[in-house]
Structures are given as structure tokens and as C-alpha cells.
Amino acid sequence: MLSELFEKLFSRSNEQTSRNTAKDRLRLVIAHDRCDLTPEMLDSLQKEILEVVSRYVEVDAEGLEFSLQSDRRTTALTANMPIRRIKPKSAEEQEDGKD
């Protein structure tokens, strides 16, 4: 009984098993179906979001994750973008900020 409690508290639920992978894929398919977003539109959306964010910060491209998550009423696009550093302002931006 105590071992079950420890297993629940410290389980490795974050491990990526084939079951969890299949669940994630199914959730993604359901989210796509519900929001009527084609894979091409999703790719374009991801690229544009990355372009805008990259204007201000340097993003670690290896850690990028975009996912769609749905519940019964809403669908959310979640972007996980590891930031390496904030980009310094250009001379023009600094001049504009003084006015």
C-alpha cells in the first residue's frame, strides 16, 4: 500500500510511452477537426508567430513546440519557445523611444 502511494506521488507519468504518444496524436487530430485548421494553415501560423517573436528575442529552434489542445468548448494553440536572450534595440528603435 505504501509503495503504491510512492508510485502515485513519484510516478514517471512524463515518460513518453507509445500509449501517451497515441493519445497525444489523437488529441491533435481532434483539435484539428474541431478548429477546421488545415495542416498548411497551422504551419503558416507557426512560421508567422516565430517570425514576430524572433524580432524581439532569440529563440532556441531546437526546443520549439506548437500544439493544439481542445476541450469541449475551445481550442488553444500553445507555443513553447525557449528564449536564449532578448535582442538589443536597434538605433532607430531607441531614437523612436525618446520622442
Side-chain angles (χ1 to χ4, degrees), residues 19-37:
R19 178 180 176 198
N20 289 340
T21 302
K23 258 175 129 175
D24 291 342
R25 288 180 183 161
L26 183 57
R27 286 183 181 147
L28 184 64
V29 169
I30 290 170
H32 277 276
D33 287 348
R34 287 187 180 163
C35 70
D36 234 3
L37 196 61

Side-chain angles (χ1 to χ4, degrees), residues 45-61:
L45 182 63
Q46 290 173 1
K47 286 177 186 171
E48 289 183 30
I49 289 171
L50 185 59
E51 285 175 14
V52 170
V53 172
S54 295
R55 290 181 200 157
Y56 303 97
V57 295
E58 185 177 314
V59 177
D60 182 7

